[in-house]
Amino acid sequence: MKQIINYTDQELKDLVKKIVKDGQVVLYEQKMTMNQYADVLTRIGEVEELDYFMNPKEEKRLSYVSGQVDEKGTPIGMFRDQELQWHANGTGRYNFKEICVGLYCVYECVDTVLSINNNCNAFAELSEEKKNYYRSLDIGLNNEGPRARLWPKDSDYKGAGEQDFKIGQEHYKENVDRRPLVGIHPFDGREYIYFMVPYIDKAYNKSDGKEIEDFESFYKTLWDDVIKSKYQYHHVFKVGDLLLMDQLNTIHRRSPIKDKDRMLWRTAFSYSNIKND
């Protein structure tokens, strides 16, 4: 398997095209340092850089996704070992640049499965009548709404206290209260359904701005139209796997982690240096 750090510009361009087309790509048996990982992605586009508890000091363009804790018992990574429900990077936001997420496995847990649902493919197979209906709607996103959680309601998840899931509120702050349910992907122009499971709590008709009254019925129909096994890909990480997934065309979830030492290096980046021609 060729190493991504040795890809030519054309190979990176072909890789992005495949990520957007399929929703995700897995590169196996990759060997790279933190800096090499982040550097190669800057050739594709702008890489998110943060400074929170889950960002290694030596490379803040990456985040730890792990159940590991430090000598004081404080989590060092995002999400710890709990089950995560359907979500995507930028879940509660309308405007965000980091369309792709990379997950690189440095310590595996073979009992944990990552599932990806392709919302672009789901939309493509709808009837024209249903497509036009969904095109006619805006949705409201609320990160404090009744579904605004990534782990099950009965979970005993404690995270890392105050610094855990409400980190970086200014970084993730949204400046609009609604967005179109059906979006146009900026790279290839295909339509996708922006079904952000935890945060969607309202729907509106674009024509008159009126709110859909029976939202729960609408939500169930949308769920049944989008979340289907035929649109899903499931992955068990092994050391050296690099999974790259588009955050507009897909959403993902994770089963609980049994081996708390499991470690992924996560990053998020744009496609701004790649032209689709």
Side-chain angles (χ1 to χ4, degrees):
M1 174 64 71
K2 185 170 183 176
Q3 300 297 300
I4 189 174
I5 60 174
N6 297 325
Y7 272 27
T8 65
D9 290 346
Q10 183 60 50
E11 286 173 323
L12 287 177
K13 184 175 185 177
D14 292 341
L15 177 64
V16 169
K17 287 183 176 180
K18 185 169 178 58
I19 295 168
V20 177
K21 177 179 179 292
D22 296 344
Q24 74 284 319
V25 168
V26 181
L27 304 179
Y28 302 96
E29 300 174 357
Q30 298 296 299
K31 297 179 181 178
M32 53 190 167
T33 65
M34 288 184 175
N35 298 131
Q36 288 174 324
Y37 178 25
D39 284 346
V40 71
L41 297 181
T42 63
R43 293 172 56 197
I44 295 176
E46 185 176 347
V47 178
E48 182 179 64
E49 184 171 348
L50 302 172
D51 187 19
Y52 299 112
F53 73 95
M54 75 284 193
N55 302 112
K57 299 305 179 185
E58 61 270 36
E59 182 49 86
K60 295 180 181 179
R61 292 173 292 178
L62 303 184
S63 300
Y64 291 139
V65 178
S66 179
Q68 293 183 31
V69 298
D70 63 18
E71 63 277 1
K72 297 180 180 179
T74 302
I76 67 170
M78 303 169 69
F79 306 136
R80 298 202 68 182
D81 57 346
Q82 297 295 313
E83 173 186 0
L84 298 179
Q85 301 188 88
W86 292 111
H87 67 285
N89 185 51
T91 315
R93 292 180 285 160
Y94 181 15
N95 299 307
F96 68 100
K97 297 176 292 185
E98 301 87 7
I99 298 174
C100 194
V101 160
L103 295 171
Y104 176 61
C105 181
V106 294
Y107 189 89
E108 66 196 46
C109 174
V110 296
D111 298 307
T112 299
V113 180
L114 177 76
S115 298
I116 300 173
N117 194 85
N118 194 311
N119 296 3
C120 182
N121 289 349
F123 182 80
E125 293 192 4
L126 292 173
S127 68
E128 284 303 312
E129 180 181 9
K130 184 63 74 71
K131 286 180 182 177
N132 287 331
Y133 172 63
Y134 286 146
R135 288 172 182 140
S136 73
L137 300 177
D138 285 334
I139 53 172
L141 301 172
N142 182 2
N143 63 7
E144 295 181 354
R147 295 186 180 86
R149 59 175 61 88
L150 296 190
W151 41 87
K153 188 174 182 179
D154 58 354
S155 171
D156 61 355
Y157 180 68
K158 298 298 188 297
E162 290 300 316
Q163 65 177 347
D164 184 63
F165 196 64
K166 293 191 179 297
I167 58 171
Q169 288 299 299
E170 288 304 310
H171 177 77
Y172 293 106
K173 188 176 181 180
E174 183 52 275
N175 57 11
V176 296
D177 63 357
R178 65 182 71 178
R179 61 148 290 159
L181 174 58
V182 177
I184 306 295
H185 198 289
F187 188 79
D188 68 356
R190 286 189 302 161
E191 293 177 295
Y192 62 90
I193 288 186
Y194 197 76
F195 185 28
M196 294 298 105
V197 174
Y199 294 139
I200 176 175
D201 70 346
K202 292 181 181 179
Y204 310 86
N205 291 300
K206 289 182 179 179
S207 59
D208 57 14
K210 290 184 177 179
E211 185 176 338
I212 291 179
E213 293 183 4
D214 190 354
F215 178 79
E216 292 305 318
S217 177
F218 163 79
Y219 187 95
K220 182 181 185 306
T221 299
L222 183 62
W223 176 281
D224 291 342
D225 283 341
V226 175
I227 309 297
K228 295 185 177 182
S229 58
K230 66 177 179 176
Y231 303 133
Q232 293 174 11
Y233 167 77
H234 307 279
H235 188 76
V236 176
F237 280 97
K238 299 288 289 182
V239 171
D241 287 357
L242 171 61
L243 186 148
L244 302 162
M245 53 183 171
D246 188 276
Q247 300 299 288
L248 294 179
N249 286 344
T250 70
I251 53 178
H252 56 279
R253 66 173 300 157
R254 184 189 76 189
S255 64
I257 297 174
K258 292 185 178 180
D259 187 340
K260 293 181 176 57
D261 286 333
R262 177 182 184 265
M263 172 65 75
L264 304 180
W265 293 346
R266 179 192 184 278
T267 190
F269 58 97
S270 72
Y271 303 133
S272 57
N273 294 333
I274 305 293
K275 304 302 180 185
N276 185 28
D277 50 36

